[in-house]
Amino acid sequence: MEKKDNPLYLEKYSFIRFNPSLKQFGSKPSEGLIAITTTGMVFVLILQSDGNIITAAELLGQFRSKIKVTDLCYAKSGDFLIVTTDGLVQSSVHCYRVGLKVIQDECIITCEPFSSFFLNSHATCLAGDKQIYSKVTHLKFLLREAADAVVITASGPSGSVVELWELREKPVTFNKIFSNPSLERQPKTVVWQHHTSATTNSGVVAMATPRLSIYDANPPPSYILVAYKDNSIKCFYRESLQLACNISVNTRTHHRDEHTMYSHQQGSKNYLHGAAISDMQLSWTGCTLVAIDSLSQLFLYRLCPVTDIGGPMTTSYALTVLEYCLMTGTDWWDVVLSLRPGWIESICEKFTESFNRQPAAAQQGWISRYLSIKGSLYRCLSNGLAKAGDCHALIMLNAISAAMKSLLRPRDLSSQDKGPAENLTAILNSKGTEAVYQMDKVLLHLESKEFTVEPPILQSLQHLTQWVADCALYLLATLPYQSPNHNRYPGGGLVADPKALNTLRELLVIIRIWSLLNESCLPVFTKMAENLDVLSLLFKLLTKTLLAHGSEPDDSLLDECSLLPNQVLIPIIELGTQAFGVASPALFMNSLPLQFEYYSQPEFLKYNSKVPTIEGTIPQNHKSDIVRHVSLGRNPTHVRQCTRCYSSSMLKAGARSAATRAWDQRWLRCCPCGGQWKFVEVSKS
C-alpha cells in the first residue's frame, strides 16, 4: 500500500516467487492435476513433455476418512496446502501439506498434517448452548496463494454462520518445572485462531473468495461473498466481516410454463417457483462477480473497489488494476466493464504517462500488452474506433519489426558494437544527407552481407512484408483526408507517430535488400504503370511526412499522397477494431441491468461505427487472417475466432519455416487484441 505512488512498476509491485510443484528438465513446470477423493486419498496425474502420463495416489492422513468439503492453495515452495472436513460441525477441520516429486518416472507424494481446529459454533455448544448448525457447507482459503486465512460456512434449520479463521503465531508456555532460563527467545508455534463470525437466518448455498490480492497489506484487503437460500448475496469485508453490500438476485426471468420446478412430498406436487444460486466466482482482479443458478442463468455484478467499501470505482484504482494486469498478464475485461465512459480518455492519458516513465527495456517487453489494453478501452467509446485501430496497427508493426530484425546477424560479432538493425536506424536518423530521401542512397551506406537470410525463410515471410507495404500505402493515402478535415481513420494515427514512421522506413529498406536475394518475398502491388517503384515512392513519402512532424504537412506532400490511389491500388488493412459483445459502446448506451439469451445477440448490443471511406480503395468481400494476413475466403471453415473482436485466424498453417513457426507461436494463446481464441466450425451449405 505504501508503494502505490511509486512511478516505476518494478518497484511499485513486489514479486513473490512461487516455485513449480513439479519441475521438468530446465526447471520447466509440469502440467497435470491433483484430486482429493471422498475417502481421504490424494490422486495426482502428471502430463510429461514426451507424452507419457504418470499417476500416483497416497493417503492424505494416517487413515482413510470421509471428506465432504475441501479446498487447496499454493505455497511458495511449490507444495499444496489442503484443508478438509467431513461436513459435520462437531468434527475438526484438518490441514495438510502435500509435496510432489518425480524420481525415475515415479511420482512420490508426501503428506504432512498441520494443526487442526474445531468450529467456534461447535465450541459454544460444548459450553452448554443449543446446537444450531448441523453441517459444514463451504470451506475456502481466503486467497489462492496464501494459507493464512480460511472461511467456513455452517448451516442449520434456523440459519447459517460464516466463520473466519486465521493462522497466528502463539508463544509456547511451559510449566515452571520445564522452564529454561538460558533460552534467549521464547519458542513459538503457529495455530488457527477464530477471528470473527457473521450469522444469518437463511442457509448458505454458495461462497466466493478472491483469487489474489493486489495490495501487500497485512492482512490484505479482500471481499468474501456468500449466497443464501433466500436468493440474497452478501458481500463481507475481511476485517471483522463487515457487511459491505447486500443484493437480492432476481431469478424469475424465465417463463413459468417452460421452467417450473416441483418436488414430490407425501404424494403431492409442490411447485417451486424461481431458482436458487448454485455457484459463484470472482474475476481475477475482483472487479466483477459471476453467479449461476439452478436454471443455468448467469448473473454478472460489478463490485466496488476493495479499498473504498461502498464507493464507486475511481480512476486511480482503475489505473492501478490496469497496471497490475499489464505486469502479470491477467485479463482486464472485468475492469473495462466497471468503468464509466467519461473516464476512459482520462485513464488512457494517465496510463500512457505512467507507461512512458518506465525504463526503455521494460517498455519494449510490455508494449504489446499495453497497446492491447488501450485498444480495448478505446473500443468502448462511440468515437474511439480510430484510436483502437492505431493501437492494433502499432501492435502488429512492432511485432513484425521484431520478427524481421531478429533474423539479421552481423558478420563479425567481436568487431562490431552494433548490429545491422542498429546501424540502419543510425543511418536513417542522420539528417542533412541525400540518403534521407532516396532508398538507393541508403543501400550504399549498408553492408548487404549483414542482411543475408536464407531464401526459403524470406519466401515464408512474404505475408508479413506485404502487410508492411499495405500499411504504408494505407497511412499515406489517409494523410490528405486527415490533415485538412481532421478525419480519423483506424490506424491512421500512426502518420503522426515518428517512431512508427521510422519503423516503417527501416522495414522498407530491409525488404528492398531482401528482394535482391529472393524476389518472392517482395510485396505484390496492383500498379497503373509498370515502371513505378512503389517501395522507393513509399520511402520518400514517409520520409517527407516524418520531417514535417510537428507542423502541418505542405501542399506538395498532400498532392503526392492524393495521387497514390491513381498510381497503385490502396488496400484496406484488417485491424480487428470492431466492438462486439458487452465491452462495447452498447454497454454505456443502455440502462442496466442488461438481459441476454444464450446463442442470441440482442438488438441493443449491435453497434456499427461509421468509418470515412478513402477514394480509390476497394472494400474487402472476404475475411482475412488477423495473425498471418492472408485471405480466408468469404465463409472460412475450421478457424479460430477471437471472443473479443471476432477476428478469425487459421488453426494450422501450411509449410512453415522456423521464422513463421515463431510468429505463429507469438499469437498461440491470445489474439493481438488480447482476447481468447475459440474454435469455430462452419458447415458448408
Side-chain angles (χ1 to χ4, degrees):
M1 294 287 286
E2 63 274 5
K3 298 180 180 180
K4 64 179 181 179
D5 296 328
N6 197 312
L8 298 179
Y9 294 162
L10 295 177
E11 297 179 3
K12 183 177 182 178
Y13 300 95
S14 57
F15 293 87
I16 302 176
R17 184 176 180 83
F18 278 72
N19 292 324
S21 301
L22 276 176
K23 297 180 181 179
Q24 301 183 43
F25 179 77
S27 298
K28 180 182 178 181
S30 299
E31 295 183 355
L33 63 88
I34 180 171
I36 309 298
T37 67
T38 56
T39 57
M41 296 287 293
V42 182
F43 176 78
V44 176
L45 185 145
I46 304 169
L47 304 175
Q48 292 189 310
S49 56
D50 57 1
N52 294 331
I53 298 177
I54 300 177
T55 59
E58 185 63 49
L59 282 173
L60 190 59
Q62 293 183 348
F63 309 99
R64 285 205 174 193
S65 58
K66 179 183 177 182
I67 295 178
K68 189 72 173 180
V69 187
T70 184
D71 193 27
L72 62 84
C73 71
Y74 309 103
K76 299 177 184 178
S77 60
D79 295 341
F80 298 96
L81 300 173
I82 300 175
V83 58
T84 65
T85 177
D86 61 359
L88 300 178
V89 174
Q90 59 268 28
S91 301
S92 61
V93 178
H94 299 278
C95 303
Y96 304 92
R97 178 189 291 269
V98 176
L100 305 178
K101 287 184 179 179
V102 174
I103 301 177
Q104 295 181 353
D105 293 338
E106 181 181 357
C107 180
I108 300 176
I109 305 175
T110 305
C111 301
E112 299 178 4
F114 265 18
S115 60
S116 305
F117 61 92
F118 286 91
L119 295 184
N120 186 65
S121 55
H122 175 63
T124 57
C125 296
L126 296 178
D129 295 343
K130 184 180 178 181
Q131 180 75 41
I132 302 177
Y133 313 108
S134 57
K135 60 180 180 179
V136 177
T137 56
H138 297 83
L139 172 65
K140 281 184 178 292
F141 284 101
L142 192 57
L143 295 176
R144 191 172 61 103
E145 296 177 348
D148 60 343
V150 171
V151 185
I152 307 172
T153 63
S155 299
S158 59
S160 60
V161 63
V162 179
E163 295 187 6
L164 177 61
W165 288 75
E166 296 180 348
L167 273 178
R168 299 287 180 85
E169 282 190 348
K170 186 178 181 181
V172 180
T173 57
F174 296 97
N175 192 281
K176 295 181 179 180
I177 301 176
F178 303 102
S179 61
N180 187 358
S182 62
L183 291 176
E184 297 180 358
R185 295 182 180 179
Q186 187 177 9
K188 295 182 180 180
T189 185
V190 179
V191 297
W192 288 102
Q193 183 175 339
H194 177 254
H195 181 67
T196 185
S197 300
T199 59
T200 309
N201 295 329
S202 181
V204 177
V205 293
M207 182 174 64
T209 55
R211 300 169 183 255
L212 50 88
S213 179
I214 299 177
Y215 300 99
D216 57 353
N218 190 18
S222 55
Y223 285 139
I224 302 170
L225 291 108
V226 183
Y228 296 91
K229 290 182 179 179
D230 58 358
N231 284 337
S232 65
I233 299 178
K234 292 186 178 181
C235 179
F236 298 99
Y237 189 64
R238 171 174 178 163
E239 189 65 29
S240 70
L241 288 182
Q242 174 187 351
L243 184 62
C245 61
N246 183 15
I247 58 176
S248 179
V249 182
N250 181 18
T251 59
R252 301 186 178 185
T253 58
H254 282 73
H255 298 291
R256 297 295 174 213
D257 54 348
E258 297 179 2
H259 302 281
T260 301
M261 300 182 299
Y262 61 88
S263 62
H264 293 277
Q265 292 184 359
Q266 298 179 356
S268 62
K269 289 184 178 180
N270 295 325
Y271 288 89
L272 306 176
H273 297 289
I277 297 296
S278 299
D279 200 4
M280 298 188 304
Q281 188 66 264
L282 282 168
S283 59
W284 278 99
T285 61
C287 293
T288 57
L289 170 71
V290 180
I292 187 170
D293 67 3
S294 54
L295 293 181
S296 299
Q297 297 179 109
L298 280 173
F299 302 88
L300 180 66
Y301 297 94
R302 296 188 293 195
L303 298 179
C304 55
V306 71
T307 55
D308 184 14
I309 303 176
M313 176 175 284
T314 59
T315 56
S316 59
Y317 181 80
L319 183 62
T320 301
V321 179
L322 289 176
E323 290 174 352
Y324 178 83
C325 294
L326 172 66
M327 295 282 293
T328 60
T330 306
D331 202 341
W332 56 90
W333 68 271
D334 53 340
V335 186
V336 177
L337 295 183
S338 303
L339 298 179
R340 297 180 181 178
W343 296 353
I344 293 180
E345 288 282 358
S346 174
I347 290 176
C348 288
E349 292 177 0
K350 294 180 180 179
F351 194 28
T352 302
E353 292 175 0
S354 65
F355 183 79
N356 291 335
R357 286 195 292 264
Q358 308 310 309
Q363 292 185 28
Q364 187 176 2
W366 299 325
I367 185 66
S368 294
R369 195 180 303 134
Y370 158 74
L371 293 172
S372 297
I373 295 175
K374 283 188 62 177
S376 60
L377 291 174
Y378 281 127
R379 269 197 300 270
C380 292
L381 296 177
S382 57
N383 58 348
L385 182 62
K387 292 184 178 180
D390 296 345
C391 293
H392 182 89
L394 201 53
I395 290 173
M396 197 55 58
L397 181 62
N398 291 333
I400 293 177
S401 175
M404 293 175 62
K405 291 181 179 179
S406 64
L407 300 175
L408 306 180
R409 297 288 186 271
R411 288 188 304 168
D412 189 1
L413 294 175
S414 60
S415 62
Q416 293 198 11
D417 297 332
K418 297 181 180 180
E422 289 79 7
N423 290 332
L424 175 60
T425 303
I427 292 173
L428 292 181
N429 289 336
S430 62
K431 296 183 179 180
T433 62
E434 295 181 359
V436 173
Y437 288 98
Q438 300 182 15
M439 180 183 291
D440 294 335
K441 295 293 182 65
V442 175
L443 301 182
L444 298 177
H445 295 79
L446 298 173
E447 186 68 35
S448 60
K449 293 183 179 180
E450 294 183 349
F451 293 82
T452 302
V453 181
E454 292 79 1
I457 295 180
L458 296 181
Q459 185 176 358
S460 66
L461 295 177
Q462 196 277 335
H463 59 286
L464 299 184
T465 61
Q466 184 70 51
W467 189 91
V468 172
D470 291 347
C471 180
L473 272 174
Y474 175 77
L475 293 181
L476 293 172
T478 60
L479 183 59
Y481 297 90
Q482 296 189 80
S483 180
N485 302 324
H486 300 286
N487 292 331
R488 292 302 306 272
Y489 292 83
L494 270 62
V495 174
D497 187 352
K499 291 184 179 180
L501 295 177
N502 266 323
T503 302
L504 282 172
R505 294 168 69 230
E506 294 172 7
L507 296 181
L508 290 177
V509 173
I510 295 175
I511 294 172
R512 170 54 62 87
I513 298 177
W514 283 355
S515 66
L516 302 177
L517 302 174
N518 190 346
E519 292 185 356
S520 60
C521 72
L522 270 175
V524 179
F525 303 102
T526 304
K527 299 181 290 186
M528 308 306 172
E530 289 295 332
N531 58 350
L532 179 64
D533 189 352
V534 181
L535 291 181
S536 298
L537 178 60
L538 292 177
F539 182 84
K540 182 184 71 172
L541 295 179
L542 287 173
T543 303
K544 288 185 176 181
T545 306
L546 178 63
L547 295 178
H549 176 68
S551 60
E552 290 292 331
D554 54 14
D555 294 338
S556 62
L557 174 59
L558 296 178
D559 292 340
E560 289 185 79
C561 293
S562 300
L563 292 175
L564 271 179
N566 299 325
Q567 297 173 309
V568 62
L569 184 65
I570 307 299
I572 299 295
I573 57 176
E574 178 66 32
L575 294 177
T577 55
Q578 293 297 328
F580 293 94
V582 181
S584 66
L587 174 65
F588 307 113
M589 294 180 178
N590 298 275
S591 59
L592 301 179
L594 303 177
Q595 293 189 4
F596 304 92
E597 186 176 349
Y598 285 110
Y599 301 106
S600 177
Q601 184 179 6
E603 291 295 329
F604 65 82
L605 205 59
K606 296 180 180 179
Y607 178 82
N608 293 322
S609 56
K610 296 182 179 180
V611 179
T613 58
I614 304 173
E615 184 180 355
T617 58
I618 298 178
Q620 292 183 352
N621 295 324
H622 59 83
K623 292 185 178 181
S624 298
D625 192 318
I626 195 65
V627 171
R628 302 178 183 91
H629 308 292
V630 294
S631 176
L632 297 176
R634 298 191 64 177
N635 297 310
T637 59
H638 301 284
V639 296
R640 56 181 180 176
Q641 191 177 69
C642 176
T643 57
R644 184 165 297 166
C645 68
Y646 278 49
S647 298
S648 301
S649 176
M650 290 186 296
L651 285 174
K652 293 182 179 180
R656 299 186 299 172
S657 63
T660 53
R661 283 197 299 269
W663 176 260
D664 294 342
Q665 194 74 19
R666 178 190 290 265
W667 318 108
L668 183 63
R669 181 182 177 186
C670 297
C671 173
C673 75
Q676 302 291 325
W677 295 112
K678 69 175 181 179
F679 174 70
V680 177
E681 184 176 2
V682 181
S683 59
K684 294 183 179 181
S685 57

